[in-house]
Amino acid sequence: MDKKKKSGTTSRPYIAFSASVCLLGFISFFLTRSSSPSPIPLKTGDDGPFSSASFDTRAPYTSSWGSWWHPQRSHGRGSGEIGRGWNLLYHLGGNGPWIEKVEGIVEGGIGVPEGCRVEQVHMVDTRCDSVDTFKAMGNMSFPSCPGTLSDSLRRMLEIVGMLDVLKRIKGANSTFKGDLEFVNDWEYFTKDPDKHLEQLTTTGPFAGTLEAFTTGVKLRTRYEHLLPSPDHSQKTHLWASDSNRVIETARYFSIGFFGLDWRDTSTLHIIPETSDLGADTLTPGDTCLRYLDDSTLGHDNGLTMLLRFRETYLPAISDRLYTQNPQLRFTSGEIYSMQEMCGFETLVRGSSPWCAVFTHADWRNFEYARDVIHYYRAGPGNVFGPVMGWLWLNATANLMAEGPAKAGPLFFSFVHDGDIVPMLAALDLFHDEEDLPVTRVAADRRWRTSTITPMGGRVIFERMTCSSPSTSTVSSSKDMPDEHIFVRINVNDGIVAIPACQDGPGKSCALDQFLQIVKRRGQEVGDFREKCGLGEDAADRITFLHQ
């Protein structure tokens, strides 16, 4: 629990929120006014030149007006549109700034369907808008934000990974040419790695602090009607896993959503990331012992599959760079680190010359490599992923069944990206008929990490009450028998229909059917304690999610 005491001043939420909006405008003003470097001419390979939709640092990417949907906007609901040209941010595999999901979504935007109103909201938010450690070592590469490696091990892997690449380059004592010519004058984007790595970024148009604050303002814009009245004495509870950057994310979000005096109206609870909590946790990857110990089917399965796929495309890049600079031969792990560096430097500086080293084809392969590691590390391709993710999904379903009058209207949880992936696997929201192959790119896959768990990715479950249902098999509200209840899922500001249940307004799912789906998935994925090798005395469910 956040133990800072309340301010002695009188709470004025409306004044605090106005100040928050002014703060956002102040930050935006300076980001817009500051000088920006010229756009980087990224390599095109055989795909043709970049279009106007390319990653242009003079006009940093921001979400469309559709993501700022307000119930009283009169000129349409809006939908996220990025443009039809190439946009590098959609190929960084979760290693880049937050982006809207624009493919595989319901048409019509995120506006509430006509005749409906949102009455309960559940958000799970991942905050990796940070300068992550580069967990690469030779042919090894650990995914971002695993939530399971100790800080000392993370630092060790970072030093022998990304910084080792830079040391080799500088130690060559030669002038580089071709794609790597820029490294002759390039400087690493932090002079104090121990201080800045694994922290929210605080500079540039993609700063993690700015994104968290903006997310809070966005959600207040949509759900202000669910906030308690100013004279309401009960506080709204929020939850964050015990990681500094996750906690800071929750705090910046709270300023945007509740206002500068957010501690007067809300309480942030810190949930430990320890292994002794059983199922009563936000980070089941830390408590599922067999998941951690099984080197074949558990956490390490993602790394195994990644290494297999990497060898289908990285050796060719190594050959190309060696032809340009024969004084140094880069390993596959080092080249992969260079691709990761593009996204991480972009978070800090707004752009990165490392992005221009690679072709469109290289980036599509990197994107898929990131899909592979998440898919097999804790997603649909991991035998433990769904059972870990079902814990939060089940707790949320129970709260939706209770409804806002009994359970409360607002639930916000903040975790690592590796904790959202299992939940999506539990719901089977992005179902692929076959597991992702590692000998080629599955171009028609639904599992795309770039738009599912970008840094700052979020999933929102909305309970809606509608007066004009499009199906006769619907849930009825006991308080309002003429109205019906539906569930809608928002993934990074794109509405995603549940494959087996989309007959409601805006392809939403009737609450009763949604609850049946969650129950059936629980039976399919199995018991958490049994599957994870925990004793009967271990917690078997999440108990802390309540207002």
Side-chain angles (χ1 to χ4, degrees):
M1 182 179 296
D2 194 316
K3 297 183 179 179
K4 290 192 176 181
K5 295 182 179 180
K6 284 200 277 185
S7 167
T9 59
T10 302
S11 173
R12 295 184 175 88
Y14 60 94
I15 295 178
F17 179 67
S18 299
S20 301
V21 175
C22 291
L23 175 60
L24 175 61
F26 179 79
I27 295 173
S28 300
F29 172 81
F30 278 96
L31 287 177
T32 305
R33 296 277 297 178
S34 62
S35 60
S36 299
S38 58
I40 300 172
L42 284 80
K43 294 180 68 64
T44 61
D46 299 327
D47 302 307
F50 276 28
S51 72
S52 59
S54 300
F55 180 40
D56 186 341
T57 58
R58 293 174 301 185
Y61 169 79
T62 185
S63 54
S64 73
W65 282 111
S67 71
W68 284 95
W69 176 85
H70 189 282
Q72 295 178 345
R73 280 184 63 198
S74 60
H75 51 282
R77 299 192 183 103
S79 61
E81 292 294 340
I82 302 303
R84 298 181 179 179
W86 175 270
N87 188 323
L88 177 60
L89 301 185
Y90 279 77
H91 302 278
L92 292 178
N95 270 10
W98 180 87
I99 51 176
E100 285 177 72
K101 184 168 179 56
V102 296
E103 295 181 349
I105 61 175
V106 176
E107 294 184 2
I110 62 175
V112 179
E114 185 176 355
C116 301
R117 69 177 181 276
V118 175
E119 61 178 10
Q120 191 181 60
V121 172
H122 301 262
M123 180 192 74
V124 57
D125 181 286
T126 173
R127 190 55 58 199
C128 288
D129 296 44
S130 57
V131 187
D132 282 11
T133 56
F134 263 44
K135 306 163 190 75
M137 181 170 64
N139 282 332
M140 297 182 66
S141 179
F142 290 83
S144 304
C145 315
T148 56
L149 296 175
S150 68
D151 289 340
S152 59
L153 179 56
R154 290 179 183 180
R155 285 195 294 270
M156 183 273 289
L157 292 172
E158 182 274 327
I159 291 173
V160 299
M162 178 174 61
L163 292 183
D164 188 55
V165 175
L166 303 179
K167 290 177 182 177
R168 286 196 66 202
I169 291 174
K170 298 297 183 181
N173 293 322
S174 61
T175 301
F176 283 82
K177 301 177 182 179
D179 296 328
L180 295 178
E181 182 178 1
F182 74 93
V183 301
N184 296 317
D185 302 310
W186 185 81
E187 295 293 335
Y188 185 51
F189 45 87
T190 174
K191 296 184 181 299
D192 191 348
D194 284 340
K195 178 180 179 181
H196 295 124
L197 294 176
E198 298 288 345
Q199 305 298 322
L200 282 184
T201 54
T202 59
T203 61
F206 306 117
T209 52
L210 178 61
E211 173 61 29
F213 173 81
T214 303
T215 299
V217 177
K218 278 186 180 181
L219 267 60
R220 185 181 179 110
T221 303
R222 301 174 200 171
Y223 308 125
E224 188 174 20
H225 65 287
L226 298 179
L227 284 168
S229 59
D231 58 351
H232 195 275
S233 60
Q234 184 174 351
K235 293 184 177 182
T236 299
H237 299 275
L238 306 87
W239 301 268
S241 64
D242 193 6
S243 166
N244 182 68
R245 60 181 172 182
V246 175
I247 296 170
E248 287 301 296
T249 292
R251 288 171 174 163
Y252 277 97
F253 169 89
S254 297
I255 294 173
F257 189 84
F258 297 103
L260 291 175
D261 293 334
W262 64 274
R263 290 184 179 87
D264 292 339
T265 57
S266 62
T267 300
L268 177 61
H269 300 270
I270 311 303
I271 308 302
E273 296 185 356
T274 55
S275 61
D276 59 342
L277 296 181
D280 201 12
T281 178
L282 285 175
T283 52
D286 291 321
T287 65
C288 184
L289 300 183
R290 285 180 180 160
Y291 170 69
L292 297 172
D293 295 339
D294 192 329
S295 59
T296 302
L297 300 177
H299 179 278
D300 293 347
N301 190 32
L303 173 60
T304 299
M305 304 304 272
L306 168 68
L307 295 179
R308 291 179 185 176
F309 175 73
R310 282 193 340 188
E311 293 310 304
T312 68
Y313 81 99
L314 291 178
I317 301 176
S318 178
D319 290 341
R320 185 180 77 228
L321 297 180
Y322 183 73
T323 299
Q324 298 173 0
N325 298 279
Q327 70 272 33
L328 198 59
R329 165 73 76 171
F330 293 105
T331 67
S332 293
E334 289 170 335
I335 294 173
Y336 189 77
S337 288
M338 294 177 190
Q339 289 192 289
E340 289 185 302
M341 193 131 41
C342 160
F344 289 132
E345 185 180 17
T346 296
L347 288 171
V348 178
R349 291 175 170 170
S351 65
S352 173
W354 290 100
C355 303
V357 173
F358 305 99
T359 68
H360 286 189
D362 295 338
W363 284 118
R364 289 193 182 99
N365 282 317
F366 176 78
E367 173 192 8
Y368 188 72
R370 295 287 301 166
D371 293 345
V372 165
I373 193 170
H374 278 281
Y375 184 88
Y376 287 104
R377 188 188 72 183
N382 188 289
V383 296
F384 297 98
V387 72
M388 294 191 299
W390 190 80
L391 299 176
W392 187 91
L393 179 64
N394 181 57
T396 296
N398 290 335
L399 293 168
M400 298 183 89
E402 291 181 6
K406 182 178 180 179
L410 297 170
F411 293 83
F412 301 127
S413 300
F414 300 85
V415 296
H416 301 278
D417 63 343
D419 302 308
I420 284 186
V421 168
M423 184 274 292
L424 294 173
L427 187 57
D428 201 20
L429 190 61
F430 300 100
H431 179 76
D432 287 298
E433 292 298 328
E434 298 180 353
D435 285 337
L436 299 187
V438 293
T439 57
R440 59 178 175 83
V441 173
D444 59 346
R445 68 195 181 280
R446 295 197 67 204
W447 185 267
R448 293 180 181 270
T449 304
S450 293
T451 57
I452 295 175
T453 55
M455 293 194 179
R458 55 185 176 268
V459 179
I460 300 173
F461 289 72
E462 296 175 330
R463 172 178 155 139
M464 300 190 304
T465 299
C466 302
S467 57
S468 302
S470 61
T471 177
S472 58
T473 309
V474 296
S475 310
S476 296
S477 170
K478 295 180 180 179
D479 298 330
M480 294 167 286
D482 294 332
E483 296 187 323
H484 305 272
I485 308 171
F486 298 88
V487 175
R488 194 172 69 150
I489 301 176
N490 179 326
V491 179
N492 296 315
D493 290 349
I495 303 301
V496 178
I498 299 175
C501 184
Q502 46 185 288
D503 295 330
K507 293 194 174 183
S508 58
C509 177
L511 176 61
D512 284 348
Q513 291 178 274
F514 174 76
L515 297 177
Q516 291 171 8
I517 290 172
V518 173
K519 181 180 180 180
R520 183 175 67 250
R521 285 294 290 161
Q523 295 169 345
E524 293 172 353
V525 303
D527 179 75
F528 179 82
R529 292 182 302 185
E530 179 181 349
K531 204 158 191 175
C532 293
L534 306 180
E536 293 185 359
D537 57 335
D540 64 347
R541 70 192 67 188
I542 292 176
T543 63
F544 52 81
L545 283 179
H546 56 80
Q547 293 296 346

